[in-house]
Amino acid sequence: MQGKGFIKFIAIVLAIVCAYALSFTLVASKVEKDAKNAAKGDLAKEKAYLDSMSTVKVYPVVGFTYQEVKAKEINLGLDLKGGMNVTMEISLAELVKSLAGNPTDANFNKAIQNAQIQLNAGGKDYIKIFVDEFEKLSPGVKLADYFSNQDNASQLKPSASNSDVESFLEKEATSAIDRSFTVLRSRIDGFGVVSPNMQKQEGSNRILIEMPGVQDKERIAKLLQGSAELQFWQVYQVQEVAPLLENINKILAATLKADAPAAKDTTAAPAAGGKLAGLEKAAAKDTTAKGGKLAGLGKKDSSAVKAELIKSNPLYAVLNLPIYQGENGQQQLMPGAVVGMSLQKDTAKVNAYLKLPEVAASIPSTMKFMWSVKPREGSKIFELYAIKVVSADGKPDLGGEAISDSRADFDQKGKPEVTMYMTSEGSAKWKKLLLKLLLIQTTKNLLPLY
């Protein structure tokens, strides 16, 4: 009898555990069903609804948010839930050309081309194929003449044999695939895909990705295919940009007022016919305003106040200035390069505002806006930066070509950081840029003489 009682107890415990695990899937499904009903077939509205629910507590009693519930739900996989299956291929041909400094040598480029053709036909090791092809086309020529330079002298000597160069290229190719895997994982995690399955295909330069439950396949494709490029820019401080944002807000308010009679469907996307016709009726999670600038994100307000806020301060309804309460009790701009903050669901609206002809005309040609790559920790809030465009061609002060090597590291406090090593040319440009910035800062601090 005691044995049966124990078995019953274990069965009850297992049933409770299973019901608890399943409850996350049920709660997430309910929220997603509500999103579908509210959107009525409009995928953009459905996504906006789910984005707005990400930080809302949807699990009764326990109080988990939708984002937390989604992360804990049972992974049904592609067979049961559907989704997206993708194979990504890293271009080792571009990597080899980049490591060689993009030479114009005909035989070198022919070897690159032949290696790619053989790889597409079922070849396994691109680097080995390339080396073999190069030796056929250029017998007696050393590959080290192409790949050995001042920046990788510690890894590859000018006198290195072709087999040494092959080993060097194999290591670089493996490192490139590993980096690509990490970048793709970061992008997928940031998108919010639950339980993605990612695998590096052994012996190849391909990565297999399975993403259960994904519906916006076009957006995922753009996310995965987008190239990441390291750039170094000078930035404006918020005190320099705040007057411009105030002017943009006034321009939008005036445009909204002019378009008001014609704007009947305020929930639609912005259209060319009505410049601000796509403004939604409510700015979800607004905050109290002081001087027309919102004090923070995440507070609720009544529909009437929201509508009035959007009408008088369209920009500040979706973009908050970084402000704090000073010692005198007055709100002040937070010093720094962050010029604004928006919820993820509002970033597209801010972008649309900034692209309006009237607004774009007011923005100096030496300034362009960029969002932070990641949201603030534990939130869906992204930061906006104003970048200085100082070159005539619109290019950054320094690009990724200035970096010869990088690695994951830890600072003195044990926090993760990235250590980068610059090429000799990159170091010279970096030094010149720092001296320029130091001169500008010193000039600003000088007092006029009378």
Side-chain angles (χ1 to χ4, degrees):
M1 292 295 293
Q2 291 180 349
K4 290 182 178 179
F6 178 74
I7 292 174
K8 287 182 179 179
F9 173 76
I10 294 298
I12 292 172
V13 171
L14 288 176
I16 293 174
V17 171
C18 291
Y20 179 71
L22 182 61
S23 67
F24 293 105
T25 302
L26 296 176
V27 172
S29 297
K30 182 182 182 306
V31 175
E32 290 162 4
K33 183 179 179 180
D34 292 341
K36 287 182 180 293
N37 293 336
K40 297 179 179 179
D42 190 326
L43 290 178
K45 289 183 180 180
E46 183 178 339
K47 182 188 175 302
Y49 183 98
L50 293 176
D51 284 343
S52 68
M53 294 294 293
S54 61
T55 57
V56 176
K57 294 180 180 180
V58 296
Y59 198 109
V61 183
V62 182
F64 286 120
T65 64
Y66 170 68
Q67 188 175 5
E68 293 170 332
V69 167
K70 193 69 178 171
K72 294 177 183 291
E73 74 172 346
I74 297 174
N75 180 19
L76 299 179
L78 290 177
D79 294 338
L80 296 176
K81 197 173 184 179
M84 192 173 183
N85 191 337
V86 179
T87 300
M88 303 294 294
E89 184 176 82
I90 289 80
S91 177
L92 297 184
E94 294 299 324
L95 174 68
V96 171
K97 286 194 289 185
S98 176
L99 291 171
N102 296 303
T104 56
D105 180 77
N107 287 340
F108 182 95
N109 289 312
K110 184 64 176 177
I112 289 280
Q113 183 180 358
N114 291 347
Q116 187 63 49
I117 292 173
Q118 292 186 42
L119 184 70
N120 295 339
K124 293 291 184 182
D125 190 337
Y126 177 86
I127 300 300
K128 179 173 176 51
I129 297 173
F130 162 72
V131 173
D132 291 343
E133 286 296 315
F134 180 83
E135 290 178 340
K136 289 179 185 178
L137 295 168
S138 303
V141 179
K142 293 171 56 178
L143 277 169
D145 294 340
Y146 295 90
F147 294 98
S148 180
N149 54 53
Q150 183 179 351
D151 299 315
N152 61 22
S154 60
Q155 304 175 65
L156 193 65
K157 304 293 183 183
S159 58
S161 64
N162 284 0
S163 61
D164 292 333
V165 174
E166 182 177 342
S167 297
F168 167 76
L169 293 177
E170 290 283 5
K171 291 179 181 177
E172 291 295 321
T174 300
S175 178
I177 294 172
D178 290 341
R179 290 196 302 270
S180 298
F181 185 89
T182 302
V183 169
L184 290 172
R185 166 67 72 177
S186 176
R187 291 182 180 183
I188 291 172
D189 289 345
F191 188 79
V193 178
V194 178
S195 301
N197 178 31
M198 295 183 61
Q199 296 179 358
K200 285 180 280 189
Q201 199 169 15
E202 294 298 328
S204 73
N205 55 330
R206 294 177 180 177
I207 299 173
L208 304 179
I209 307 172
E210 291 182 349
M211 294 166 284
V214 168
Q215 296 181 355
D216 196 346
K217 296 183 179 181
E218 183 178 348
R219 186 179 177 191
I220 281 284
K222 290 181 180 179
L223 179 73
L224 296 180
Q225 293 174 350
S227 59
E229 183 180 356
L230 180 64
Q231 297 178 338
F232 296 88
W233 294 89
Q234 299 178 54
V235 295
Y236 287 93
Q237 298 298 299
V238 64
Q239 288 81 1
E240 300 175 280
V241 183
L244 173 63
L245 295 178
E246 182 69 33
N247 185 44
I248 291 174
N249 183 58
K250 292 178 180 178
I251 293 173
L252 292 173
T255 308
L256 177 62
K257 185 176 180 181
D259 287 353
K264 294 184 179 180
D265 183 9
T266 57
T267 61
K275 302 182 182 68
L276 296 178
L279 193 59
E280 296 179 356
K281 290 183 178 179
K285 299 181 183 177
D286 297 328
T287 60
T288 56
K290 187 175 183 72
K293 302 171 181 62
L294 300 185
L297 289 166
K299 296 182 181 179
K300 296 181 179 179
D301 204 349
S302 67
S303 299
V305 174
K306 288 177 184 178
E308 183 59 31
L309 174 63
I310 292 174
K311 194 174 181 180
S312 58
N313 293 288
L315 180 64
Y316 297 135
V318 290
L319 180 73
N320 295 324
L321 295 180
I323 56 179
Y324 70 103
Q325 190 169 350
E327 295 180 357
N328 59 359
Q330 298 296 318
Q331 289 183 337
Q332 301 176 14
L333 289 171
M334 181 76 70
V338 178
V339 302
M341 297 172 291
S342 284
L343 292 167
Q344 181 180 8
K345 68 183 184 65
D346 291 329
T347 55
K349 190 181 297 182
V350 174
N351 292 339
Y353 283 165
L354 296 177
K355 290 178 181 179
L356 287 173
E358 299 90 333
V359 173
S362 69
I363 301 174
S365 59
T366 56
M367 180 188 298
K368 68 177 181 178
F369 293 96
M370 290 185 178
W371 292 103
S372 58
V373 175
K374 296 180 180 180
R376 288 190 166 189
E377 188 175 354
S379 74
K380 289 281 188 178
I381 300 172
F382 283 77
E383 297 173 336
L384 185 66
Y385 294 84
I387 307 301
K388 289 185 178 180
V389 183
V390 296
S391 61
D393 56 6
K395 293 183 178 181
D397 298 289
L398 210 60
E401 72 282 351
I403 306 300
S404 61
D405 193 17
S406 63
R407 69 165 184 262
D409 209 338
F410 295 92
D411 62 16
Q412 295 178 347
K413 296 182 179 179
K415 294 183 178 181
E417 66 178 11
V418 177
T419 301
M420 295 183 294
Y421 299 89
M422 288 190 170
T423 63
S424 54
E425 183 180 357
S427 297
K429 288 183 178 180
W430 181 252
K431 180 180 178 181
K432 184 178 179 180
L433 178 60
L434 289 181
L435 289 174
K436 179 181 178 182
L437 293 176
L438 181 61
L439 179 61
I440 293 174
Q441 188 61 38
T442 303
T443 304
K444 286 183 178 180
N445 293 335
L446 290 177
L447 293 175
L449 298 177
Y450 295 97

